């Protein structure tokens, strides 16, 4: 990833935007296609890397690893490695991310009500 110059206009504008709008702060943390989906699947409890990959089959290994790392850096998920043979890595939500659960559920509820895709889906509140 290319490092942004701290003196760039884009960097300045992003800083102004964050101070002016709390939605910008939130989108900087959970924005993009995959991050909200990862958080959504972790709402029901800790998951191993392979469980997340199975739950989100369209995500590539690279994107999953990259977004898990970013979510960890943003203090939204915890990563715990169990020293077994083979080692097991488990991801879970931090207290900060758990506070996002109502937001993610509101997004899911809206999608179910708005889209015909989910008309016949046996929708569950908590996966």
């Amino acid at each position: 990833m290319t490092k942004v110059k701290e003196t760039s206009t884009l960097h300045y504008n992003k800083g102004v935007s964050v101070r002016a709008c709390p939605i910008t702060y939130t989108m900087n943390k959970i924005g993009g296609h995959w991050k909200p989906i990862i958080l959504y699947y972790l709402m029901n409890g800790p998951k191993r890397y392979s469980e997340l990959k199975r739950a989100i089959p369209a995500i590539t290994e690279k994107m999953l690893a990259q977004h898990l790392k970013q979510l960890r850096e943003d203090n939204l998920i915890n990563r715990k490695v169990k020293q077994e043979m083979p080692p097991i890595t488990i991801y879970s939500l931090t207290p900060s991310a758990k506070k996002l659960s109502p937001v993610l559920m509101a997004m899911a509820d809206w999608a179910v009500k708005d889209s015909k895709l989910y008309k016949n889906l046996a929708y569950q509140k908590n996966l």
Side-chain angles (χ1 to χ4, degrees), residues 13-77:
N13 289 345
K14 282 186 175 185
V16 169
S17 181
V18 167
R19 287 189 295 280
C21 177
I23 296 296
T24 303
Y25 174 85
T26 305
M27 292 306 295
N28 285 342
K29 300 290 182 187
I30 67 164
H33 183 78
W34 299 113
K35 287 181 186 177
I37 297 168
I38 293 167
L39 293 171
Y40 181 77
Y41 281 102
L42 288 173
M43 283 175 23
N44 202 34
K47 303 247 184 308
R48 294 172 54 179
Y49 180 92
S50 59
E51 291 174 306
L52 285 170
K53 182 65 179 107
R54 271 194 306 276
I56 315 167
I59 194 170
T60 64
E61 300 275 339
K62 179 182 175 184
M63 291 307 291
L64 181 56
Q66 181 180 329
H67 287 303
L68 287 170
K69 181 180 178 187
Q70 290 171 356
L71 288 166
R72 227 176 112 216
E73 289 170 356
D74 285 335
N75 194 37
L76 293 174
I77 62 170

Side-chain angles (χ1 to χ4, degrees), residues 3-9 11-12:
K3 191 172 182 175
V4 176
K5 293 188 321 186
E6 291 188 23
T7 57
S8 73
T9 304
H11 183 72
Y12 173 78

Side-chain angles (χ1 to χ4, degrees), residues 79-116:
R79 179 181 184 263
K80 184 179 179 182
V81 179
K82 290 187 177 182
Q83 294 302 327
E84 299 177 5
M85 213 36 167
I88 297 172
T89 305
I90 299 174
Y91 296 92
S92 61
L93 297 179
T94 64
S96 177
K98 287 178 183 176
K99 293 176 185 173
L100 285 168
S101 293
V103 174
L104 296 170
M105 287 310 300
M107 291 169 62
D109 289 340
W110 176 83
V112 168
K113 291 173 187 168
D114 188 68
S115 177
K116 294 176 184 172

